């Protein structure tokens, strides 16, 4: 929870996809149907709608938007019930705006008043129909559970039964001893942890970042996380997300050099082409200072939240975090790496030691701290932790950090309001990391000071990821009419780092 003392100082074409023409009323079917008697010998290109919706659906009581792509459109659209074919709603298409970044004209329509549970599609004269979508309660609940379950599916060193993993079941993998890359004669037990990629690699620093995001998501919205998500630990009176993080933590402890406290960078599967990936040998890369300071930060955070469930294991983690911190101090200058700020914040919250607070104070005094808060993830996340510390903190500094946080969130909100897709980066070319990080920021701010506008912006980003985007692709699941698989693209849940941020975002939408 955020300290009250920190808040007090503070006091907005055509597409024939979706339902078939047979499901449309007769007059609409006549408009969109035609007969081509000539057979052709080529593969017909896939036509995608220019009426863009969230293919998964919309919460009944939420704000519901649709994007129309095209110029000189009529001023209205209709919504039809897929099952009955009846028209159930008429809405207004707002004036088209030219999107220079995408090179297209876009319009928005809203259908907030349609709250009856059911499956629908949208139709307009010029653009035809959209893909279908669902309106109901807890639309994202199943997706949220699936996103959380991905980490269980990615567990290494453990046999996954059909009971828990379904089609992803397999026997235990990578159970033999690994070897140090620097000295192959040295054997290490690095079983466990999460596979991070298609090559079954396990990266220490990446695993720490993912685990921290999952723990922070739990901190911001504890009620969203259950103890019955369907993993072996379900029902043990510990939220399953913390059970999952513990599985990664147990592996990370194996990756710490017992002599120096440094943390090995990665466990790499060394599979020859065509070989069985799960049975391939594993080598461990050298100690990395990036992995070491990330380890110190994450294990300190984990120990703080896990103390109430298993005090002995939490203490083991905290001691390991402190040893990693000492190793880092012996090898790098603290102020040369902003990751040390985030780690110091976690260690100060967990221990109350003034030595960690002194590091934070040195960073706060930097002339470029405000710029770093806006641009550096370590500084941003460390600052959020500082706002939640129950140890003694500087109230004036907390007030400044709150102002920075609110200003950053307002900039995100304004960027979304200027977008024809209602998101911060509709033309995202390098993945969705930036947008997901923006939504993490709004989720954090929404946790501190509830803002309905921020919740709506988060929902609009969910709509974007699930179909209301320029590619008309559902990037989250593969069971709607046009998914990332149909477009030969990657899915968010298949990227462990993006999946953690998706969980963070969806947690605020869980009822």
């Amino acid at each position: 929870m955020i300290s009250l003392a920190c808040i007090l100082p503070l006091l907005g074409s055509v597409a024939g996809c979706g339902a078939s023409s047979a499901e449309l009323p007769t007059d609409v079917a006549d408009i969109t149907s035609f007969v081509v008697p000539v057979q052709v010998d080529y593969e017909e290109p896939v036509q995608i709608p220019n009426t863009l919706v969230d293919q998964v659906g919309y919460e009944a009581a939420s704000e519901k938007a649709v994007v129309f792509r095209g110029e000189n459109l009529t001023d209205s659209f209709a919504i039809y019930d897929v099952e009955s074919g009846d028209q159930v709603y008429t809405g207004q298409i707002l004036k088209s705006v030219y999107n220079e970044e995408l090179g297209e004209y876009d319009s928005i329509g809203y259908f907030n008043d349609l709250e009856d549970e059911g499956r629908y599609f949208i139709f307009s004269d010029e653009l035809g129909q959209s893909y279908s979508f669902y309106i109901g309660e807890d639309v994202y609940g199943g997706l949220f559970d699936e996103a959380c379950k991905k980490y269980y599916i990615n567990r290494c060193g453990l046999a996954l039964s059909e009971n828990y993993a379904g089609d992803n079941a397999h026997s235990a993998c990578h159970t033999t001893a690994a070897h140090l890359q620097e000295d192959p004669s040295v054997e290490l037990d690095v079983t466990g942890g999460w596979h991070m990629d298609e090559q079954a690699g396990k990266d220490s620093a990446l695993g720490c970042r993912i685990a921290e995001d999952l723990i922070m998501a739990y901190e911001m919205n504890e009620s969203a996380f259950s103890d019955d998500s369907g993993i072996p630990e379900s029902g043990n009176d510990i939220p399953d997300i913390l059970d999952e993080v513990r599985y990664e933590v147990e592996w990370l402890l194996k990756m710490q050099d017992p002599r120096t406290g440094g943390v090995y960078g990665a466990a790499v599967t060394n599979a020859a082409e065509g070989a069985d990936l799960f049975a391939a040998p594993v080598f461990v890369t050298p100690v990395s200072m990036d992995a070491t300071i990330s380890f110190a930060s994450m294990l300190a955070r984990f120990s703080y939240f896990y103390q109430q469930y298993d005090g002995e294991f939490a203490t083991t983690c905290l001691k390991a975090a402190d040893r990693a911190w000492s190793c880092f101090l012996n090898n790098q200058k603290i102020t040369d790496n902003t990751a040390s700020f985030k780690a110091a914040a976690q260690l100060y919250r967990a221990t109350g030691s003034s030595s960690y607070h002194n590091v934070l104070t040195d960073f706060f005094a930097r002339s470029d701290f405000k710029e770093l808060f806006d641009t550096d993830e370590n500084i941003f996340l460390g600052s959020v932790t500082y706002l939640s510390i129950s140890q003694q903190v500087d109230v004036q500094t907390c007030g400044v950090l709150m102002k920075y946080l609110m200003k950053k969130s307002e900039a995100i909100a304004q960027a979304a309001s200027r977008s024809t897709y209602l998101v911060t980066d509709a033309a995202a070319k390098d993945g969705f990391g930036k947008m997901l990080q923006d939504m993490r920021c709004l989720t954090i701010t929404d946790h501190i000071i509830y803002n309905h506008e921020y919740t709506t912006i988060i929902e609009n980003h969910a709509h974007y990821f699930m179909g209301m985007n320029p590619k008309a692709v559902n990037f989250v699941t593969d069971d709607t009419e046009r998914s990332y698989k149909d477009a030969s693209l990657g899915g968010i849940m298949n990227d462990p780092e993006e999946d953690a941020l998706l969980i963070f975002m969806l947690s605020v939408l869980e009822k």
Side-chain angles (χ1 to χ4, degrees):
M1 297 297 292
I2 302 300
S3 169
L4 181 61
C6 300
I7 301 176
L8 289 177
L10 285 182
L11 306 177
S13 140
V14 174
C17 307
S20 70
S21 59
E23 296 169 320
L24 289 165
T26 304
D27 56 340
V28 178
D30 289 343
I31 294 172
T32 58
S33 61
F34 56 91
V35 177
V36 181
V38 180
Q39 292 188 347
V40 290
D41 204 12
Y42 65 90
E43 185 176 347
E44 184 178 349
V46 175
Q47 287 187 311
I48 63 173
N50 283 314
T51 301
L52 307 170
V53 296
D54 180 337
Q55 295 176 45
V56 173
Y58 301 80
E59 291 286 337
S62 70
E63 182 174 287
K64 308 173 192 69
V66 51
V67 173
F68 298 95
R69 188 164 47 191
E71 192 178 1
N72 300 322
L73 304 180
T74 55
D75 60 0
S76 66
F77 65 92
I79 299 182
Y80 293 87
D81 183 284
V82 167
E83 185 174 351
S84 68
D86 295 337
Q87 180 176 332
V88 297
Y89 190 88
T90 301
Q92 296 299 305
I93 300 177
L94 304 182
K95 183 179 179 180
S96 293
V97 175
Y98 185 67
N99 187 320
E100 291 186 9
E101 196 171 14
L102 293 169
E104 63 186 37
Y105 282 90
D106 300 320
S107 305
I108 297 284
Y110 293 95
F111 49 104
N112 302 343
D113 297 337
L114 181 57
E115 297 186 358
D116 294 338
E117 182 177 0
R119 180 158 292 280
Y120 304 94
F121 64 89
I122 293 174
F123 178 86
S124 65
D125 289 342
E126 291 85 1
L127 301 181
Q129 64 192 81
S130 71
Y131 290 129
S132 65
F133 56 89
Y134 174 76
I135 292 177
E137 303 294 337
D138 196 23
V139 169
Y140 301 127
L143 292 181
F144 181 76
D145 292 341
E146 184 181 348
C148 292
K149 189 76 171 281
K150 278 288 185 178
Y151 296 97
Y152 171 73
I153 301 301
N154 286 334
R155 285 187 186 185
C156 176
L158 178 75
L160 304 186
S161 71
E162 287 188 20
N163 212 22
Y164 296 112
D167 293 341
N168 295 294
H170 61 74
S171 58
C173 59
H174 304 124
T175 56
T176 59
H179 296 266
L180 271 181
Q181 186 179 38
E182 296 172 299
D183 183 358
S185 67
V186 177
E187 290 190 344
L188 295 172
D189 172 16
V190 292
T191 55
W194 301 320
H195 293 145
M196 295 294 177
D197 53 38
E198 293 180 352
Q199 297 305 309
K202 297 181 291 186
D203 183 278
S204 299
L206 177 58
C208 287
R209 290 199 302 273
I210 291 170
E212 281 209 72
D213 274 331
L214 294 176
I215 298 170
M216 185 180 273
Y218 169 75
E219 178 183 2
M220 297 296 139
N221 294 287
E222 289 186 20
S223 62
F225 296 92
S226 71
D227 184 30
D228 60 358
S229 66
I231 62 174
E233 297 86 350
S234 293
N236 65 356
D237 295 325
I238 300 173
D240 285 350
I241 198 68
L242 295 185
D243 287 323
E244 197 57 71
V245 171
R246 175 168 178 160
Y247 193 82
E248 178 74 358
V249 166
E250 289 173 345
W251 171 73
L252 286 165
L253 289 170
K254 296 178 180 179
M255 293 290 283
Q256 185 173 39
D257 182 348
R259 183 176 59 86
T260 66
V263 177
Y264 299 114
V268 180
T269 301
N270 189 19
E273 187 174 351
D276 181 357
L277 197 64
F278 280 9
V282 174
F283 66 84
V284 177
T285 63
V287 165
S288 154
M289 286 302 105
D290 182 37
T292 300
I293 195 63
S294 297
F295 176 102
S297 178
M298 199 284 283
L299 265 75
R301 181 188 285 276
F302 177 76
S303 72
Y304 179 81
F305 283 98
Y306 209 69
Q307 193 72 40
Q308 62 180 306
Y309 299 110
D310 186 338
E312 184 178 353
F313 185 69
T315 299
T316 296
C317 292
L318 186 56
K319 289 179 179 178
D322 185 66
R323 293 186 64 242
W325 173 265
S326 296
C327 177
F328 183 81
L329 280 181
N330 292 333
N331 287 275
Q332 282 199 0
K333 187 177 178 182
I334 286 289
T335 53
D336 287 346
N337 190 329
T338 59
S340 60
F341 175 81
K342 179 162 68 79
Q346 296 301 339
L347 285 160
Y348 181 58
R349 177 162 68 167
T351 68
S353 172
S354 60
S355 63
Y356 300 122
H357 193 266
N358 291 338
V359 172
L360 300 174
T361 301
D362 288 343
F363 271 96
F364 290 141
R366 289 179 56 156
S367 59
D368 61 346
F369 185 82
K370 171 60 168 68
E371 179 183 351
L372 289 172
F373 183 94
D374 290 333
T375 59
D376 188 291
E377 186 164 310
N378 291 318
I379 297 296
F380 171 71
L381 294 176
S383 296
V384 171
T385 296
Y386 191 78
L387 289 171
S388 65
I389 288 174
S390 58
Q391 311 285 355
Q392 184 176 357
V393 294
D394 184 90
V395 175
Q396 184 176 358
T397 299
C398 282
V400 171
L401 294 178
M402 281 298 302
K403 289 178 182 178
Y404 290 169
L405 178 60
M406 296 302 296
K407 187 172 182 180
K408 183 180 178 76
S409 297
E410 279 303 302
I412 291 170
Q414 289 173 16
S417 70
R418 292 191 298 266
S419 167
T420 56
Y421 283 81
L422 307 176
V423 296
T424 58
D425 186 14
K429 297 180 177 66
D430 301 315
F432 301 125
K434 174 61 168 58
M435 278 195 286
L436 287 164
Q437 288 172 4
D438 286 344
M439 294 308 98
R440 178 180 60 189
C441 179
L442 289 193
T443 299
I444 291 167
T445 308
D446 193 62
H447 168 74
I448 300 171
I449 302 175
Y450 174 72
N451 186 320
H452 178 70
E453 178 193 3
Y454 291 170
T455 304
T456 299
I457 293 169
I458 292 167
E459 283 184 307
N460 285 333
H461 280 73
H463 299 327
Y464 178 94
F465 294 137
M466 299 179 204
M468 200 177 77
N469 57 66
K471 297 183 185 296
V473 164
N474 175 1
F475 287 99
V476 178
T477 66
D478 61 4
D479 56 358
T480 58
E481 290 177 82
R482 179 171 165 83
S483 77
Y484 61 90
K485 285 187 175 180
D486 299 314
S488 301
L489 297 169
I492 291 175
M493 284 190 194
N494 297 325
D495 180 320
E497 192 163 21
E498 288 193 348
D499 187 42
L501 291 170
L502 177 71
I503 289 168
F504 209 122
M505 184 184 86
L506 292 181
S507 68
V508 81
L509 304 181
E510 277 293 278
K511 305 304 180 184

